Amino acid sequence: MTKRPTLADVAARAGVSVALVSIAMRGAKGVSAATSEQIVKAAQEIGYRPDTRARLLRSRRSRLLGVQFGLQHPFHADLVESLYAVAEPAGYQLALGAVAASRGEQRATEALLDDRCEALILLGPQAPVARLEKLAAQLPVICVARRLPPSAPGVDVVRTADDDGARQAVDHLVSLGHRDIAHIDGGRAPGAADRRRGYRTAMHRHGLPGRVVPGGLTEEDGAAAARGLLAGRPRPTAVLAFNDQCATGVLDAFLRAGTGVPGQVSVVGFDDSRLARLAHVNLTTVGQDIPRLADLSVVRALARLEGQDMAAAETVVAPRLVVRGTTAAPRDALRNAQET
């Protein structure tokens, strides 16, 4: 293994003392512009990089924001990317704690605590409220994309108005002429109850019966729910899936069954993740404002670290409908329009 260049290596390369290199690297006074330029050039030539983590540890600060995320969720990947874009200009780095089938949330958060993270940003956590409260007693905790009861002390919440997103999806489908709209449910996943409520409220407002189908977060969950819809009668003319992953599974099941989308059935997802934006998917979906969610999460974490506002707060971000190629008027509506 190649040895990492040290200050001594830079000093030898530049022909100066280690003390002078240290001063120059810290940007402190006492080094002429010419010597400083010579030292920087030598550092670049040998590939020297300052050990910022060691310096922060000496100052008793890590300047790390721990992010717990679901390894299999495209929406979480988009959020992490936006969190980097906000945290780094503020002088903070992210430590990532992945949640997977073989690695639960508690293990992920414990690893982040071991890394001396100064705050935790939890993406769609499913941990009990008591567990979140216990974490918040140790350090600032920002819960993203999950509603918490107002009684949860010390936990900040940044989330999308999921119920309004589902309402927008139903309104869009009804405006196209759909009347039999099924909702593939997210079960106990964060946001599922709000999306289910928004769907039912919107269907009731339009005077339509609701049809909630058990589903889940994954492509497999969506495909299984879609196969159940295909086997039943009457078949819906439109489907609102819990999220984009679930919707992708729905599209796959319909494709395999020879059911055209949107010719025979329209499909709407939720999140507007990068999955929905793929050209061959081109999914109509409810978009969450990912840059806004990331910005609010980091700003809130830093505010609590700096002691600006120690009271827990909930911030709700408006969703937006993104219409693409998986929704259209049902065949009967098209036929009626042509006859009139």
Side-chain angles (χ1 to χ4, degrees):
M1 180 182 294
T2 304
K3 179 184 175 184
R4 178 172 178 166
T6 65
L7 285 178
D9 297 324
V10 178
R13 180 80 171 202
V16 298
S17 68
V18 174
L20 204 58
V21 172
S22 177
I23 293 171
M25 288 298 176
R26 286 185 282 110
K29 295 180 180 180
V31 182
S32 68
T35 302
S36 180
E37 183 179 350
Q38 178 183 348
I39 291 171
V40 170
K41 182 180 178 182
Q44 291 174 342
E45 289 173 348
I46 67 173
Y48 171 79
R49 292 178 61 84
D51 189 345
T52 54
R53 183 70 61 86
R55 185 174 70 249
L56 289 170
L57 288 174
R58 287 194 295 270
S59 68
R60 297 183 183 277
R61 291 289 305 274
S62 70
R63 298 191 75 84
L64 282 176
L65 302 178
V67 179
Q68 175 192 292
F69 70 104
L71 195 60
Q72 303 300 322
H73 299 323
F75 172 62
H76 287 188
D78 291 346
L79 261 173
V80 169
E81 184 175 343
S82 289
L83 287 169
Y84 272 116
V86 181
E88 289 186 341
Y92 283 78
Q93 292 295 319
L94 303 184
L96 303 182
V99 177
S102 60
R103 192 172 193 260
E105 288 188 7
Q106 184 164 344
R107 180 69 194 98
T109 54
E110 287 174 351
L112 293 173
L113 293 175
D114 291 342
D115 285 341
R116 299 181 68 251
C117 292
E118 297 185 6
L120 294 179
I121 299 176
L122 310 179
L123 308 187
Q126 300 194 49
V129 173
R131 166 69 177 161
L132 298 177
E133 292 174 353
K134 184 176 180 180
L135 287 170
Q138 304 174 57
L139 75 174
V141 172
I142 316 299
C143 180
V144 184
R146 174 184 170 183
R147 180 196 290 269
L148 291 180
S151 59
V155 183
D156 291 286
V157 172
V158 177
R159 65 178 181 87
T160 295
D162 291 292
D163 52 349
D164 184 54
R167 177 196 61 77
Q168 291 183 34
V170 171
D171 288 350
H172 167 63
L173 292 168
V174 170
S175 73
L176 291 173
H178 292 278
R179 296 295 179 267
D180 191 348
I181 304 167
H183 173 47
I184 298 178
D185 188 32
R188 302 185 65 178
D194 284 347
R195 296 177 194 181
R196 185 166 54 244
R197 181 174 61 252
Y199 161 80
R200 284 175 168 157
T201 300
M203 293 292 284
H204 178 75
R205 181 165 49 81
H206 288 292
L208 300 173
R211 195 198 308 196
V212 177
V213 179
L217 288 74
T218 69
E219 290 93 336
E220 291 79 7
D221 293 328
R227 288 192 292 269
L229 291 172
L230 289 170
R233 292 292 185 274
R235 293 179 179 178
T237 64
V239 174
L240 168 60
F242 170 69
N243 64 9
D244 293 342
Q245 275 185 285
C246 180
T248 302
V250 173
L251 293 175
D252 182 68
F254 285 163
L255 176 64
R256 293 175 185 273
T259 302
V261 176
Q264 293 174 271
V265 60
S266 289
V267 177
V268 181
F270 206 112
D271 289 340
D272 194 25
S273 63
R274 64 187 64 194
L275 188 63
R277 300 190 293 271
L278 292 173
H280 69 282
V281 177
N282 197 30
L283 179 68
T284 294
T285 184
V286 177
Q288 301 201 56
D289 191 342
I290 291 174
R292 179 67 173 154
L293 292 171
D295 182 71
L296 289 168
S297 301
V298 173
V299 167
R300 187 62 182 167
L302 300 191
R304 288 177 67 80
L305 285 172
E306 295 166 6
Q308 294 180 14
D309 184 0
M310 297 308 294
E314 179 185 65
T315 306
V316 182
V317 178
R320 73 196 187 287
L321 183 71
V322 182
V323 179
R324 295 194 179 95
T326 58
T327 52
R331 285 182 172 180
D332 289 345
L334 284 172
R335 188 181 303 113
N336 293 337
Q338 291 169 354
E339 291 174 354
T340 58

